[in-house]
Amino acid sequence: MNTKTLTVILYKEDDMYIAECVELGTIDQGESIEKAINNLKEATKLYLEECPFVETQPRLVTTMEVTYEELSYA
């Protein structure tokens, strides 16, 4: 049995939370953050049972600030 620590990005779309595993591209959703993560864990487990894990460099997550002008459609 293998255990991996993977990066998860969470965001809300309408009334659902979306959870995405950065390294594998698996995505799932749930009505709460906890449900979205649990559903993603199950989807990722099923994915890894069929596809071998390819070791990659650790992902770094940061933020940036961008200044821009919006187009006006008047």
Side-chain angles (χ1 to χ4, degrees), residues 2-36:
N2 294 314
T3 301
K4 298 286 182 193
T5 300
L6 301 168
T7 308
V8 176
I9 296 174
L10 289 160
Y11 54 95
K12 192 168 185 179
E13 228 176 65
D14 299 323
D15 61 344
M16 298 295 282
Y17 288 92
I18 311 301
E20 178 179 352
C21 174
V22 175
E23 290 84 357
L24 300 174
T26 51
I27 298 174
D28 216 311
Q29 63 184 6
E31 295 174 348
S32 68
I33 291 172
E34 295 79 16
K35 286 183 181 180

Side-chain angles (χ1 to χ4, degrees), residues 2-71:
N2 294 314
T3 301
K4 298 286 182 193
T5 300
L6 301 168
T7 308
V8 176
I9 296 174
L10 289 160
Y11 54 95
K12 192 168 185 179
E13 228 176 65
D14 299 323
D15 61 344
M16 298 295 282
Y17 288 92
I18 311 301
E20 178 179 352
C21 174
V22 175
E23 290 84 357
L24 300 174
T26 51
I27 298 174
D28 216 311
Q29 63 184 6
E31 295 174 348
S32 68
I33 291 172
E34 295 79 16
K35 286 183 181 180
I37 292 172
N38 285 336
N39 291 343
L40 179 63
K41 282 182 184 181
E42 183 63 25
T44 301
K45 178 183 171 186
L46 293 171
Y47 176 86
L48 288 170
E49 288 175 358
E50 296 294 322
C51 302
F53 183 82
V54 177
E55 204 65 48
T56 61
Q57 295 295 317
R59 303 294 196 234
L60 303 174
V61 178
T62 189
T63 61
M64 66 178 184
E65 188 173 294
V66 177
T67 304
Y68 64 98
E69 284 188 48
E70 288 189 29
L71 295 176

